């Protein structure tokens, strides 16, 4: 009976749990479907029966469970499995094993040694080696082979140690501590664990179980490197700073105990490097923060993160001081992990992304403060840890994050220009998150799940959601368009009274806060009702007298004037407004071509609008708004807005209508006013 890698990972997840685990939780942990989990559970049960054990317990509303007596038996059986006969390693596990074998080798290693350890074909293993060479090269490491030395890694020792931590964390997650110990450690495990527990008493620090396990494996492998004089070299100034921390005393105690018990010579730099490792660990106790220049920098970083989070999330933390203190306690080890490249895998990352998507995205937006301090990019695992802090605090204060819009940015190359545009959009629209950036080629095959609209610097075919074409450096007209179009995508939200009061308190003395809050609430509620009732629909603005059909519209200037004529004749606009629309195109280019074949000319309300209205001109042969054929327009819709708000409902309905390619083709082909009115009515609700 064979257990594959994923089945063993699932079984280890259940073994580590002290209670029931739901199917949803297992699916999120493994990043597979619930159906796949059920399939793996059946394989596990078949294996348990083949070993003379009981099946996993399952309660319909609670999930799966392994009781304590069964846990001991299962762990014992897993330890006795022979990899070649009973276990199929995943590609990730095979590569991690190759790395561990190389980093802990005491003799030359050849392909036959890897084949003996890993039950795969020669060609599969050679492919793994090829992929590892490419991956390790990016880390500054060279994976080489010589006839006498066999396979070996060449490069900076500090990079090898970072790699070592990655491989240990991955294998612990996939196959579990007991199994990894059986195959990697011999007599060292018991004594190393004892030293680690003694160091807890020595330093008053308490480590979590997974930390103790990882540290045990790490020290066991590093000891083998010390035996062969593979030492870290650290900067003298850095060492001076590290010697001032309490973690240095713990590291020194651990190293001295290892030296005495195993008779191994260890350099001072190794104590300092182990200090960085310990500084990056999460502990079960909240230790007091020691004041230092570094702490002052981290405190300011945390303040900046919370400031930005509140701004982007449109929330106000009432217990701000306590949040800063708790987040600082978390950020200290995170700072060292990022600074020294010690990547800790967060098993809840995918769950946080799925269940707390808004909070994860907001946290990602404020992570640049961390990157500025540590000089390193922040991975999703660390962002998920921080998001959990923000999410927990929001729950604690009973505050929810208002629904935010998600944008996709598309540029020709998808690289430099996208970054520039992302910053401009997020500065202009604080309630919008740019969640993806890509090239035109990537856009053609991507799915638009969780995306509300697309901002692009090149013309694109709409994929059922609004697409806004702008310049890489947003002009005033681009900004106006985005503000208008995006605002109408969202239902208006009543501002938080509490947030408004906090702003007022900063600049004025409040005599009666309760009365002010009540009056603000009444005013905004009344104002919101007025706004909702005052906004006309698309069918109210695009009425029969405002619709025209022609064979030719002349050049683009003549076409705009002709399209606006019904509004001019009926007193909605003045000639000044038509001139302003034309001048906008002369100055800014054909930005008014909002989707293939359709233009939406407009200008500021104060430039000649007397009454809100819209008009539509259908041209059989179309006209060009630039020298490019892509700017040929067949339908011109003139918008006359009296302010920045009243027209938004109608514009939202027009956007939905034009976002559908079939609707546009229908609009280009119809020949009667009744057909246009029928299409408009279908989107006026």
């Amino acid at each position: 009976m064979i257990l594959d890698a994923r089945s063993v990972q699932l079984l280890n997840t259940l073994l580590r749990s002290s209670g029931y685990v739901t199917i949803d939780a297992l699916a999120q942990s493994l990043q597979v479907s619930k159906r796949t989990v059920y399939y793996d559970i059946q394989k596990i049960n078949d294996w348990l029966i083949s070993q003379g054990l009981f099946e996993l317990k399952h309660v319909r509303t609670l999930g799966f469970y392994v009781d304590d007596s069964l846990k001991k038996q299962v762990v014992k059986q897993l330890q006795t499995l022979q990899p070649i006969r009973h276990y199929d390693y995943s590609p990730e596990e095979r590569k991690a094993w190759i790395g561990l074998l190389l980093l802990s080798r005491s003799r030359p290693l050849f392909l036959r040694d890897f084949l003996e350890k890993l039950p795969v074909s020669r060609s599969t293993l050679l492919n793994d080696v090829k992929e590892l060479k490419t991956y390790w090269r990016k880390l500054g490491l060279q994976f080489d082979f010589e006839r006498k030395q066999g396979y070996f890694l060449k490069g900076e020792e500090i990079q090898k140690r970072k790699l070592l931590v990655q491989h240990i964390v991955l294998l612990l997650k996939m196959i579990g501590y007991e199994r990894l110990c059986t195959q990697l450690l011999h007599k060292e495990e018991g004594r190393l664990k004892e030293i680690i527990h003694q160091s807890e008493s020595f330093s008053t620090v308490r480590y979590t179980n997974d930390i103790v396990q990882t540290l045990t494996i790490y020290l066991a492998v590093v000891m083998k490197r010390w035996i062969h004089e593979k030492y870290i070299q650290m900067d003298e100034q850095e060492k001076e700073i590290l010697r001032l921390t309490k973690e240095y005393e713990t590291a020194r105690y651990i190293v001295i105990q290892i030296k005495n018990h195993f008779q191994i010579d260890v350099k001072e730099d190794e104590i300092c490097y182990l200090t960085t490792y310990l500084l990056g660990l999460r502990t079960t106790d909240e230790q007091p923060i020691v004041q230092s220049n570094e702490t002052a920098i981290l405190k300011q970083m945390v303040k900046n993160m919370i400031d930005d989070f509140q701004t982007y999330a449109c929330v106000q933390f009432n217990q701000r001081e306590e949040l800063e203190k708790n987040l600082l306690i978390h950020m200290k080890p995170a700072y060292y992990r990022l600074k020294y490249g010690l990547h800790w895998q967060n098993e809840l990352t995918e769950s946080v992304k799925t269940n707390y998507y808004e909070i994860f995205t907001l946290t990602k937006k404020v992570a640049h403060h961390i990157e500025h301090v540590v000089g390193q990019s922040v991975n999703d695992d660390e962002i998920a840890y921080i998001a959990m802090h923000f999410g927990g605090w929001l729950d604690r204060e009973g505050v929810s994050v208002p629904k935010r819009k998600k944008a996709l940015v598309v540029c020709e190359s998808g690289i430099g220009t996208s970054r520039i545009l992302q910053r401009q959009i997020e500065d202009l629209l604080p309630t919008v998150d740019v969640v993806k950036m890509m090239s035109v080629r990537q856009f053609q095959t991507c799915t638009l799940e969780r995306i509300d609209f697309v901002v692009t610097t090149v013309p694109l075919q709409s994929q059922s959601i609004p697409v806004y074409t702008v310049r890489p450096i947003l002009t005033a007209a681009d900004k106006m368009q985005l503000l208008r179009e995006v605002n109408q995508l969202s239902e208006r939200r009543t501002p938080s009274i509490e947030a408004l009061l906090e702003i007022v308190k900063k600049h004025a003395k409040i005599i009666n806060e309760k009365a002010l809050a009540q009056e603000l609430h009444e005013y905004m509620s009344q104002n919101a009702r007025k706004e909702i009732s005052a906004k006309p629909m698309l069918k109210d603005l695009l009425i029969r007298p405002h619709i025209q059909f022609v064979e030719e519209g002349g050049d683009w200037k003549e076409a705009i004037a002709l399209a606006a004529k019904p509004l001019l004749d009926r007193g909605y606009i003045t000639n000044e407004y038509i001139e302003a629309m034309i001048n906008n195109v002369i100055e800014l280019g054909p930005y008014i071509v909002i989707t293939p074949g359709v233009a939406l000319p407009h200008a500021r309300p104060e430039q000649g609008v007397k009454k809100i209205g819209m008009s539509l001109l259908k041209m059989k042969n179309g006209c060009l708004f630039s020298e490019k054929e892509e700017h040929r327009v067949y339908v011109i819709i003139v918008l006359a807005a009296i302010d920045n708000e009243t027209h938004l409902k109608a514009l939202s309905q027009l956007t939905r209508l034009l976002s559908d390619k079939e609707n546009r083709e229908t609009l280009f082909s119809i020949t009667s006013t009744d057909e246009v009115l029928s299409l408009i009515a279908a989107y006026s609700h």
Side-chain angles (χ1 to χ4, degrees):
M1 175 67 203
I2 294 176
L3 275 184
D4 59 22
R6 193 178 61 229
S7 298
V8 173
Q9 184 185 354
L10 192 156
L11 185 52
N12 276 312
T13 300
L14 294 172
L15 291 172
R16 288 194 299 268
S17 174
S18 58
Y20 288 93
V21 185
T22 65
I23 283 290
D24 286 333
L26 290 170
Q28 288 168 9
S29 174
L30 298 171
Q31 300 179 46
V32 296
S33 67
K34 288 192 285 187
R35 184 175 181 179
T36 299
V37 173
Y38 279 118
Y39 175 72
D40 287 345
I41 289 288
Q42 185 57 56
K43 285 196 290 186
I44 291 169
N45 281 332
D46 290 343
W47 177 78
L48 289 171
I49 292 170
S50 73
Q51 303 300 312
L53 303 174
F54 295 105
E55 293 185 358
L56 299 172
K57 288 186 178 180
H58 179 250
V59 177
R60 185 176 180 85
T61 56
L62 298 175
F64 288 92
Y65 174 66
V66 184
D67 63 36
D68 290 339
S69 60
L70 182 58
K71 278 183 182 179
K72 293 178 182 178
Q73 294 174 291
V74 172
V75 168
K76 187 176 179 181
Q77 291 299 114
L78 283 175
Q79 290 177 11
T80 61
L81 287 182
Q82 295 299 316
I84 294 177
R85 294 179 54 198
H86 294 270
Y87 189 85
D88 292 338
Y89 286 114
S90 67
E92 292 78 14
E93 288 174 286
R94 293 197 303 269
K95 292 169 189 173
W97 266 119
I98 292 172
L100 273 186
L101 292 172
L102 286 170
L103 292 168
S104 61
R105 72 177 192 149
S106 56
R107 60 175 179 79
L109 289 176
F110 299 92
L111 197 63
R112 63 175 177 272
D113 296 299
F114 297 142
L115 287 170
E116 185 179 334
K117 182 73 179 177
L118 305 168
V120 292
S121 67
R122 182 185 177 89
S123 60
T124 298
L125 198 58
L126 285 171
N127 187 60
D128 289 340
V129 168
K130 182 180 177 182
E131 291 180 5
L132 277 173
K133 282 184 178 180
T134 303
Y135 172 63
W136 286 343
R137 193 179 299 120
K138 294 176 184 177
L139 302 178
L141 296 171
Q142 197 170 331
F143 188 10
D144 278 346
F145 176 81
E146 290 183 4
R147 288 186 63 185
K148 291 185 178 180
Q149 286 193 60
Y151 286 99
F152 61 94
L153 263 177
K154 202 164 143 188
E156 293 289 333
E157 182 67 18
I158 196 165
Q159 288 299 113
K160 295 178 183 178
R161 299 291 179 87
K162 292 176 184 178
L163 193 66
L164 174 60
V165 173
Q166 288 181 29
H167 292 332
I168 291 172
V169 170
L170 185 144
L171 287 173
L172 279 173
K173 179 184 177 184
M174 298 295 281
I175 68 175
Y177 176 71
E178 301 293 342
R179 185 170 170 77
L180 188 56
C181 274
T182 301
Q183 299 187 43
L184 193 65
L185 307 185
H186 300 290
K187 299 177 182 179
E188 304 101 324
E189 185 219 349
R191 180 58 185 142
L192 286 173
K193 260 192 172 181
E194 186 181 340
I195 291 171
I196 293 167
H197 287 308
Q198 287 171 351
S199 77
E200 288 182 314
S201 301
F202 180 83
S203 63
T204 71
V205 172
R206 297 291 178 270
Y207 298 123
T208 58
N209 287 335
D210 61 323
I211 293 300
V212 173
Q213 293 174 356
T214 308
L215 188 52
T216 302
I217 302 287
Y218 173 79
L219 289 171
V221 177
V222 168
M223 279 168 49
K224 295 179 181 180
R225 300 195 66 74
W226 291 341
I227 290 170
H228 293 90
E229 299 183 346
K230 304 292 185 181
Y231 297 123
I232 287 279
Q233 287 186 330
M234 295 195 69
D235 179 73
E236 285 299 325
Q237 190 175 2
E238 189 83 19
K239 287 191 288 186
E240 286 180 20
I241 296 170
L242 291 169
R243 288 188 189 106
L244 299 175
T245 65
K246 61 180 175 55
E247 285 81 4
Y248 174 82
E249 294 303 321
T250 306
R252 186 168 177 272
Y253 175 83
I254 291 172
V255 170
I256 288 173
Q257 294 302 310
I258 290 174
K259 285 173 67 174
N260 292 339
H261 184 81
F262 296 100
Q263 301 299 305
I264 300 173
D265 186 32
V266 186
K267 303 291 185 184
E268 165 69 12
D269 288 44
E270 290 291 348
I271 298 176
C272 290
Y273 188 72
L274 182 57
T275 302
T276 69
Y277 187 96
L278 298 178
L279 282 164
L281 299 181
R282 292 173 291 118
T283 62
T284 56
D285 294 339
E286 291 186 358
Q287 301 296 318
I289 299 292
V290 178
Q291 297 304 314
S292 65
N293 290 337
E294 206 163 56
T295 301
I297 293 170
L298 292 178
K299 277 185 176 179
Q300 188 58 52
M301 179 190 78
V302 167
K303 285 179 183 291
N304 294 340
M305 288 170 62
I306 295 174
D307 283 342
D308 280 5
F309 189 93
Q310 288 186 144
T311 301
Y312 288 128
C314 303
V315 299
Q316 198 81 21
F317 291 111
N318 296 323
Q319 299 173 342
R320 166 74 184 253
E321 189 175 334
E322 195 175 347
L323 171 59
E324 287 184 11
K325 177 185 172 185
N326 279 268
L327 190 53
L328 179 61
I329 290 170
H330 167 77
M331 287 311 304
K332 186 186 174 189
Y335 164 78
Y336 286 104
R337 288 196 296 271
L338 292 164
K339 183 177 180 179
Y340 294 105
L342 303 170
H343 180 201
W344 287 97
Q345 199 158 9
N346 184 351
E347 292 187 359
L348 296 175
T349 297
E350 293 306 317
S351 177
V352 171
K353 284 182 177 180
T354 302
N355 298 316
Y356 302 96
Y357 186 76
E358 302 276 353
I359 296 171
F360 180 85
T361 304
L362 289 169
T363 305
K364 201 162 191 175
K365 290 179 75 169
V366 305
H368 66 90
H369 291 296
I370 311 169
E371 294 174 344
H372 176 72
V373 171
V374 301
Q376 301 283 346
S377 60
V378 183
N379 56 62
D380 283 359
D381 287 333
E382 292 291 354
I383 288 172
Y385 279 128
I386 303 166
M388 288 159 65
H389 274 265
F390 279 124
W393 216 261
L394 289 168
D395 288 341
R396 177 175 174 174
E397 295 195 5
V399 179
S400 60
V401 177
K403 186 168 178 59
R404 300 170 62 79
K405 291 296 177 185
K406 307 293 183 295
L408 168 66
V409 169
V410 180
C411 294
E412 185 65 46
S413 65
I415 306 172
T417 308
S418 299
R419 293 289 179 189
I420 296 170
L421 194 52
Q422 175 192 13
R423 187 60 183 267
Q424 294 177 88
I425 292 168
E426 292 183 338
D427 286 345
L428 179 68
L429 304 162
T431 58
V432 170
D433 298 318
V434 176
V435 295
K436 288 183 181 179
M437 292 176 286
M438 58 181 62
S439 66
V440 176
R441 187 173 181 181
Q442 291 170 317
F443 177 77
Q444 292 167 350
T445 58
C446 78
T447 59
L448 296 178
E449 185 182 2
R450 282 183 169 158
I451 302 296
D452 295 297
F453 64 93
V454 177
V455 180
T456 175
T457 58
V458 291
L460 294 174
Q461 287 293 326
S462 172
Q463 295 187 20
S464 76
I465 62 172
V467 175
Y468 307 131
T469 306
V470 297
R471 291 162 182 76
I473 305 298
L474 296 178
T475 64
D478 289 332
K479 291 178 180 179
M480 184 178 71
Q481 176 201 2
L482 280 175
L483 280 169
R484 181 180 62 247
E485 301 286 3
V486 173
N487 283 339
Q488 52 85 23
L489 288 175
S490 308
E491 295 180 359
R492 287 189 60 79
R493 183 178 66 86
T494 303
S496 163
I497 301 297
E498 291 77 11
L500 287 176
L501 285 174
E502 289 298 319
I503 294 171
V504 173
K505 285 178 186 177
K506 290 180 181 179
H507 307 286
K509 183 179 179 180
I510 300 175
I511 299 172
N512 188 331
E513 185 173 327
K514 187 175 180 181
L516 176 59
Q518 179 64 28
E519 194 167 338
L520 282 172
H521 178 75
E522 290 175 359
Y523 172 78
M524 287 190 292
S525 298
Q526 181 183 15
N527 197 43
R529 288 193 294 272
K530 285 180 180 178
E531 285 181 351
I532 292 169
S533 61
K535 290 179 182 177
M537 292 190 285
L538 184 61
K539 68 179 181 181
D540 300 324
L541 300 183
L542 267 179
I543 55 179
R544 186 179 293 274
H546 295 179
I547 298 172
Q548 305 175 83
F549 291 84
V550 297
E551 290 281 326
E552 300 282 350
D555 64 23
W556 66 266
K557 295 179 184 178
E558 294 169 330
I560 288 177
L562 180 59
K565 191 172 185 303
L567 297 178
L568 179 67
D569 292 345
R570 302 188 75 201
Y572 284 66
I573 59 173
T574 64
N575 275 314
E576 180 191 1
Y577 190 73
I578 297 174
E579 292 172 8
M581 289 191 291
I582 292 171
N583 287 335
N584 281 345
V585 179
I586 293 172
E587 181 183 348
L588 303 171
Y591 75 98
I592 61 172
V593 182
I594 59 172
T595 193
V598 181
L600 183 72
H602 54 276
R604 297 290 302 161
E606 62 270 18
Q607 292 178 298
V609 178
K610 294 183 175 180
K611 182 180 177 182
I612 185 172
M614 296 176 83
S615 59
L616 183 149
L617 174 67
K618 163 72 191 317
M619 301 173 289
K620 184 177 180 180
N621 297 323
C623 73
L624 287 171
F625 273 69
S626 77
E627 296 178 354
K628 298 178 180 179
E629 187 61 30
E630 65 194 51
H631 290 143
R632 180 174 293 278
V633 166
Y634 297 93
V635 174
I636 298 177
I637 301 171
V638 175
L639 169 65
I642 56 173
D643 54 31
N644 291 329
E645 301 290 338
T646 312
H647 62 287
L648 292 182
K649 182 186 288 186
L651 203 55
S652 172
Q653 293 166 349
L654 177 64
T655 301
R656 285 194 294 115
L657 187 156
L658 295 176
S659 295
D660 190 309
K661 185 178 179 181
E662 290 185 10
N663 285 341
R664 294 198 303 272
E665 292 175 351
T666 299
L667 196 57
F668 299 154
S669 63
I670 56 182
T671 56
S672 72
T673 301
D674 286 338
E675 289 176 288
V676 175
L677 291 174
S678 177
L679 183 60
I680 290 169
Y683 284 84
S684 298
H685 52 77

